[in-house]
Amino acid sequence: AIMSPRTDYVATMLDKLNMAESLRGKRLPVPRTVTFERIAEIGFPCFAKPRYGRGSRGVQILRDAKSAAAYRTLSGLADDQIVVQDLLEGQEYTVMIAADREARLHAVVPVKVLLKRGITILAETEANPAVIDACAAIHRALPTTGCYNIQLCLTSDGRVMPFEINPRIST
């Protein structure tokens, strides 16, 4: 048996806009996430990335309209293929989630990111109750089988804000 999420879950989570809308639709906290043509709703600074992508390819902080225009040009992507999110400040976590064939949750393993250069270079596991509870709530709201990864920020005011769900085991 392959311990991977269900096909419909994979399709939803690979689309970063649909992922955010799915969480929001379940009344779960998520940074505002829109396509590039709606960047004014987010404002600057903000976070931009390809709507479909992985491994932090094409991820950029946009500080002003000039950097946004440059990103749009250099990415080569259409406006509806770029997502823009609130720029979150706080501690990043990458969290491994494991569920069985019936989507029963068996493990939530928070990994506190200490150094990142596109991918996580240095990290340590940390049994943070707020992160564990938030990830369990995400799984209850959007259950699936197998292993997957939730990337989130624990903000300085204590909010757990998932900004990406990868339907695979994290690197």
Side-chain angles (χ1 to χ4, degrees), residues 120-131:
T120 301
I121 305 294
L122 181 63
E124 62 187 16
T125 57
E126 179 182 86
N128 184 302
V131 170

Side-chain angles (χ1 to χ4, degrees), residues 80-95:
D80 67 345
Q81 297 303 301
I82 300 170
V83 293
V84 180
Q85 292 181 316
D86 289 318
L87 182 61
L88 301 172
E89 294 187 23
Q91 178 60 55
E92 184 175 343
Y93 287 80
T94 182
V95 185

Side-chain angles (χ1 to χ4, degrees), residues 39 42-48 60-63 68 84-87:
I39 195 170
I42 304 291
F44 298 104
C46 61
F47 199 70
Q60 187 70 43
I61 294 173
L62 305 179
R63 303 227 177 261
V84 180
Q85 292 181 316
D86 289 318
L87 182 61

